Amino acid sequence: MGVVNVTPDSFSDGGRWLDPGAAAEHGRALVADGADLLDIGGESTRPGAEPVPADEERRRVVPVIERLAGDAGVPVSVDTTKADVASAALDAGAVVVNDVSAGRFEPRILDVVADAGAGYVVMHMLGDPRTMQDDPRYGDVVREVGDFLQERLTAARAAGIDERALAADPGIGFGKTVRHNLELLARLPELAARLDAPVVVGTSRKRFIGAILGGDGVELPVDRREEGTLATVVHALERGARIVRVHDARPAAQAVRVLEALRTAEPAA
Ligand code: HH2
């Protein structure tokens, strides 16, 4: 899943693809690099981000989706928590809604997705982006994130979303310390085994990678986290993730192809 952020303030690429033509061109470049799905977002969810009004978010994403849907050669998803934005995006040709609130912010989004027969990604986040990094705590992070995702998948099914249209994401960096993120990734097989849905993982360029690779309390900057990201991509794909959400599609797509070649070379059990 290649990321196209049509925002002024996203943590890794804010402001780069604000023009719809430039954003669409970036989407096509991600596909040329091997992305199988494009995720278009008009609101940053980085820690501390302020919400964007629905009208503004729609104004950002719809022209980009119109340019890419049906033309980019891959399905398009919209990264939104808002029912009206999801509706406009689906009308414009998106076929998946990637909802980092898992329907908690605007429950009506579940009906919008169900009515359109679209795909739906539920993600775990502790609270909301403004406060999620204020001292996040869990008893057992894997169990609690798994409980939450199961509950939200059940809510999505109850709203009429097709079983085969669902995917679940532990929400790396969304109300989690470095330790929580590492534990979720290390115990991904346990989480994946619990969920009756394909698992999505989004680690791309996130802060925990900068923290691991930095030194003396200084994080490695966002633009130098690609190699660390690739390690997490390979790790996640080897441990049950079916979709990885990345800003740079080429290394991830090449890793997928090499992993597939290795899998077919494995002796049968
Ligand atoms: N991460 C971000 C946004 N959306 N969706 C899913 N399903 N999983 C994720 O891990 C995820 C997500 C944050 O990354 P980005 O979109 O690059 O940043 P920003 O929120 O600042 O736009």
Side-chain angles (χ1 to χ4, degrees):
M1 175 190 262
V3 181
V4 181
N5 283 321
V6 197
T7 61
D9 57 345
S10 284
F11 80 94
S12 84
D13 54 357
R16 285 190 69 186
W17 326 111
L18 261 180
D19 170 70
E25 208 169 302
H26 179 54
R28 287 191 198 96
L30 287 166
V31 175
D33 281 346
D36 297 317
L37 173 67
L38 292 175
D39 191 36
I40 319 298
E43 177 179 51
S44 173
T45 49
R46 76 185 189 288
E50 287 297 324
V52 175
D55 277 355
E56 170 63 14
E57 193 180 331
R58 193 168 34 213
R59 203 186 54 71
R60 291 179 187 173
V61 296
V62 166
V64 180
I65 294 169
E66 281 171 350
R67 282 171 168 78
L68 289 171
D71 178 57
V74 300
V76 170
S77 74
V78 63
D79 185 347
T80 190
T81 62
K82 298 189 185 75
D84 286 345
V85 176
S87 181
L90 294 169
D91 285 347
V95 292
V96 176
V97 175
N98 171 30
D99 178 0
V100 299
S101 83
R104 288 183 299 122
F105 293 176
E106 293 191 13
R108 194 167 60 82
I109 199 169
L110 300 179
D111 303 320
V112 168
V113 175
D115 288 348
Y120 190 55
V121 181
V122 296
M123 197 199 77
H124 175 273
M125 167 178 12
L126 201 63
D128 66 59
R130 267 174 300 186
T131 58
M132 64 188 182
Q133 288 306 115
D134 300 348
D135 193 22
R137 284 171 195 243
Y138 301 85
D140 178 336
V141 67
V142 176
R143 186 174 52 73
E144 286 169 43
V145 167
D147 287 348
F148 171 90
L149 292 174
Q150 277 188 329
E151 189 265 314
R152 297 318 300 161
L153 288 168
T154 302
R157 288 183 196 108
I161 300 175
D162 194 291
E163 182 67 46
R164 291 160 304 173
L166 289 166
D169 184 332
I172 298 298
F174 285 83
K176 281 115 186 163
T177 61
V178 172
R179 185 69 241 159
H180 294 141
N181 291 319
L182 289 174
E183 191 165 349
L184 282 164
L185 289 169
R187 292 169 61 196
L188 202 59
E190 186 184 327
L191 186 69
R194 271 191 70 186
L195 300 170
D196 305 319
V199 171
V200 181
V201 170
T203 53
S204 189
R205 302 180 185 167
K206 284 186 179 169
R207 188 182 293 175
F208 78 104
I209 296 171
I212 294 168
L213 298 177
D216 296 333
V218 180
E219 289 169 6
L220 197 68
V222 166
D223 61 356
R224 293 176 55 201
R225 297 179 188 167
E226 210 51 60
E227 296 86 346
T229 296
L230 189 58
T232 63
V233 161
V234 171
H235 171 95
L237 290 169
E238 283 291 277
R239 284 164 183 78
R242 289 276 300 279
I243 299 172
V244 285
R245 183 180 182 278
V246 293
H247 298 93
D248 188 352
R250 188 182 311 217
Q254 291 189 349
V256 167
R257 284 171 56 198
V258 173
L259 288 173
E260 279 170 356
L262 285 165
R263 273 178 206 165
T264 53
E266 269 172 23

